[in-house]
Amino acid sequence: DPFFINAAISDAWFFSDTNGQGFFIIVYEDSKSVFLAWFTFETEDRQAGLSANVGEPFHRWLIGQGPFDGDTALLEVFLASGMVFDSDEFPVDLVKYEDAIIKIVWTDCETGLLEYNIPTLGLMGVIPIQRVAADKVAACEAAQAQ
């Protein structure tokens, strides 16, 4: 039977070979949409004066949002910036990267493949992802059995 996205996919995900980044993914079954927050930060100090390709040096958040069908989600990509912890002095700015896409294909309840393409920044790649913890695997598998 083919795999299909369900609400129990909602969880924290990561790629074990990559320090300092991960994904929070939320599935909204009623609207057939997926929200993704991709956080990344530098694991080593950068030299002064270097700039980051995406967002602020040392850490950044990319946001993805879009529809899903079957085992695949196709998400538009946004950069979130202007955030200061526990403060409303700096509003969050959300900038959409035109023609950028994040595609996630889940192979089962514990693994998937995230492909990203952000042409305006010349960034693209493929990342195998897995759950951080197995707490929702049973619920995901039960949804598959229905």
Side-chain angles (χ1 to χ4, degrees):
D1 291 334
F3 185 81
F4 62 90
I5 296 171
N6 62 69
I9 290 292
S10 300
D11 216 336
W13 295 76
F14 77 116
F15 174 44
S16 61
D17 289 354
T18 307
N19 257 343
Q21 74 174 339
F23 309 90
F24 292 114
I25 297 172
I26 301 171
V27 173
Y28 298 99
E29 281 191 89
D30 292 345
S31 62
K32 292 286 212 185
S33 63
V34 170
F35 172 84
L36 169 139
W38 180 351
F39 63 93
T40 180
F41 63 91
E42 302 293 339
T43 57
E44 297 178 15
D45 284 341
R46 296 172 62 113
Q47 295 175 359
L50 291 179
S51 62
N53 287 337
V54 178
E56 296 298 318
F58 301 112
H59 85 76
R60 46 207 149 283
W61 287 87
L62 289 177
I63 307 290
Q65 187 169 355
F68 71 85
D69 184 35
D71 63 356
T72 304
L74 293 173
L75 314 177
E76 293 181 308
V77 182
F78 303 83
L79 172 66
S81 63
M83 298 163 281
V84 174
F85 180 74
D86 199 24
S87 172
D88 60 2
E89 291 183 31
F90 302 96
V92 173
D93 293 322
L94 214 53
V95 176
K96 181 180 177 186
Y97 285 119
E98 294 301 322
D99 301 321
I101 192 89
I102 293 174
K103 176 181 175 182
I104 309 172
V105 178
W106 276 272
T107 49
D108 57 36
C109 292
E110 297 182 77
T111 59
L113 201 60
L114 184 146
E115 181 178 344
Y116 63 94
N117 186 2
I118 308 172
T120 56
L121 299 176
L123 299 173
M124 61 188 307
V126 178
I127 303 170
I129 59 173
Q130 64 188 47
R131 285 185 190 268
V132 170
D135 59 331
K136 293 186 178 180
V137 172
C140 179
E141 289 173 346
Q144 295 297 312
Q146 292 180 0

